[in-house]
Amino acid sequence: MDLSLNVYENLVQLARLGLAGRSQDVQAYLRQIIRRLGKAEPALAQQLSELLAKAPSALSPLRDFGSAIVPVDADSRLALAKNEYPVLVPNAPILEEMLRIKIDQVVQERSHLTALEAQGLGPTRSLLFVGPPGVGKTFSARWLASLLDRPLITLDLATVMSSYLGKTGSNIRSVLEYAKSVESVLLLDEFDAIAKRRDDEGDVGELKRLVTVILQEIDDWPSTSLLIAATNHGELLDPAIWRRFDDVLEFHLPSADLRERTLRDLFGDSAQRIDAWLPILTDLWADRSFSDLTRSVQWARRRATTMGIDVVEVLLDQIGGELRLSTAETRKQAAKILSEAGYSDRRISELVGISRDTIRKGRG
């Protein structure tokens, strides 16, 4: 070995970090050594890379998940986290292309650990999901856990937050240590509740101290687990929080293309019946999230099933008010669809708010 690499100093530093129990720092230091070894000692660099790649299964095998004890609040004795394994997700989330690529990347990294370690890199350890309610943040976290075949551990915010000074920080540390002890995906939902800006004068010192705790935990988060924090209010997060995550994924309300794809999937076997209405629904429901679209479609399908009527009839009753308030172009388009379906001029006029004379002229 090339003595210029200061082997002895490296060994001392590794021993110091290991004895201090700082496994994440040990891994980071080893990556530096691998880069420095470079072409001089390729065999040794390869061995170290393989050791790092195997570290997750060696440190906390998945089979030990069942034996790990879920932390509880000392006073209430309620569990501080919920865990789920296996994570069963019926279908993949419909996402913007860049979000899908980033999530796929996280999954692929776990299959290429040796190659990453050989480059002095580790896998993604932490993600921040930001976006309005109902756009797929929690669903995507579940999907990731399912793809990685990892337990999903979710912080129970209601139990963790304590009125006793110092208890909230202690509870959160317990959950974080628990998530570190197994190969898992930890979801910190409603993250803004525990990671608010430290200049918020309305918060007590306890919540401000929480931010410091969380910053340290994110910095030290092991590659054995994946930490996902999700928030509907990114503007409330402490600025230092954003820099600590390996990646930030911004979720938006679905685009027109995604809305149409989502609606087609949600209507299932009935999709053919409402095919002509999809462009109109896509336009009328432009401000709706994925969860809003799901609720609307499921209500219409349930109504049609229980009343024994055509889903299009239910849909027309559901969107009638919106149609009458929509743009002239949308109302004309709806009138044309209804006319071709055999609806009377009177019924069309009631539904879209266009006079019967105008409807007749349009047909002519």
Side-chain angles (χ1 to χ4, degrees):
M1 181 181 291
D2 187 348
L3 292 179
S4 65
L5 294 176
N6 299 320
V7 178
Y8 298 114
E9 291 182 12
N10 290 335
L11 284 173
V12 171
Q13 180 64 3
L14 280 173
R16 182 181 294 115
L17 294 173
L19 290 171
R22 296 161 61 182
S23 62
Q24 187 61 32
D25 288 343
V26 169
Q27 293 183 33
Y29 196 70
L30 280 174
R31 291 186 186 107
Q32 292 180 23
I33 293 175
I34 291 170
R35 286 196 297 269
R36 292 170 63 191
L37 283 171
K39 297 179 181 179
E41 294 288 343
L44 180 57
Q46 178 65 20
Q47 287 180 2
L48 290 174
S49 298
E50 291 175 357
L51 279 174
L52 279 173
K54 294 175 182 177
S57 57
L59 289 171
S60 51
L62 188 61
R63 61 178 177 271
D64 287 346
F65 174 65
S67 62
I69 300 174
V70 180
V72 298
D73 181 78
D75 298 310
S76 67
R77 307 309 297 170
L78 294 174
L80 297 171
K82 301 171 185 176
N83 55 50
E84 179 183 358
Y85 182 77
V87 180
L88 303 177
V89 181
N91 52 273
I94 298 176
L95 299 170
E96 295 175 3
E97 182 68 9
M98 184 49 64
L99 287 178
R100 186 187 61 76
I101 289 173
K102 288 191 171 188
I103 288 176
D104 286 346
Q105 172 65 27
V106 173
V107 176
Q108 290 301 315
E109 287 173 4
R110 259 54 187 189
S111 301
H112 296 80
L113 291 175
T114 300
L116 287 171
E117 299 297 358
Q119 298 293 323
L121 302 169
T124 298
R125 299 175 296 123
S126 58
L127 296 170
L128 177 60
F129 289 180
V130 182
V135 291
K137 300 187 297 297
T138 302
F139 191 6
S140 294
R142 291 178 54 78
W143 178 242
L144 250 174
S146 174
L147 292 176
L148 293 171
D149 192 28
R150 299 285 181 86
L152 178 67
I153 300 172
T154 306
L155 180 76
D156 190 329
L157 196 61
T159 307
V160 162
M161 301 298 280
S162 174
S163 60
Y164 295 102
L165 195 63
K167 279 292 300 299
T168 299
S170 175
N171 284 343
I172 288 178
R173 281 194 190 92
S174 296
V175 174
L176 295 174
E177 290 303 317
Y178 169 64
K180 287 179 180 179
S181 71
V182 292
E183 292 183 2
S184 62
V185 175
L186 172 65
L187 174 60
L188 304 179
D189 214 349
E190 299 181 57
F191 189 52
D192 48 278
I194 58 174
K196 283 186 178 180
R197 303 175 68 98
R198 282 171 288 188
D199 58 4
D200 187 341
E201 295 180 359
D203 284 329
V204 297
E206 164 69 358
L207 288 178
K208 294 178 181 180
R209 286 190 291 273
L210 271 181
V211 177
T212 303
V213 171
I214 292 168
L215 290 173
Q216 293 171 347
E217 291 291 347
I218 297 173
D219 284 342
D220 295 335
W221 199 254
S223 58
T224 53
S225 296
L226 177 65
L227 185 154
I228 300 176
T231 179
N232 301 334
H233 303 286
E235 73 281 0
L236 297 181
L237 295 180
D238 191 276
I241 289 287
W242 293 78
R243 299 191 297 271
R244 293 314 208 278
F245 285 90
D246 290 339
D247 203 354
V248 176
L249 278 62
E250 296 196 23
F251 292 71
H252 305 102
L253 290 174
S255 63
D257 287 344
L258 288 182
R259 286 198 301 279
E260 185 167 337
R261 281 177 55 196
T262 301
L263 289 169
R264 195 178 296 278
D265 287 348
L266 289 171
F267 274 106
D269 295 338
S270 304
Q272 248 185 336
R273 294 282 303 117
I274 55 91
D275 191 66
W277 290 97
L278 282 177
I280 291 177
L281 290 176
T282 298
D283 179 53
L284 289 179
W285 293 347
D287 60 346
R288 301 197 183 190
S289 66
F290 288 113
S291 60
D292 292 334
L293 295 174
T294 300
R295 279 193 294 272
S296 296
V297 173
Q298 287 184 347
W299 185 90
R301 294 182 65 188
R302 290 190 187 107
R303 179 76 172 170
T305 300
T306 55
M307 298 296 291
I309 56 179
D310 190 348
V311 69
V312 173
E313 287 299 319
V314 176
L315 194 60
L316 289 174
D317 287 339
Q318 190 178 12
I319 66 173
E322 294 172 271
L323 267 178
R324 288 189 291 274
L325 295 174
S326 63
T327 64
E329 184 59 36
T330 298
R331 285 183 289 148
K332 286 179 183 178
Q333 188 179 358
K336 180 181 179 182
I337 296 171
L338 291 167
S339 179
E340 291 174 349
Y343 284 77
S344 68
D345 291 349
R346 180 177 179 178
R347 177 64 172 147
I348 296 173
S349 177
E350 290 173 350
L351 286 168
V352 302
I354 297 177
S355 70
R356 280 182 275 179
D357 286 342
T358 303
I359 292 170
R360 282 193 290 270
K361 289 176 183 177
R363 189 183 298 115

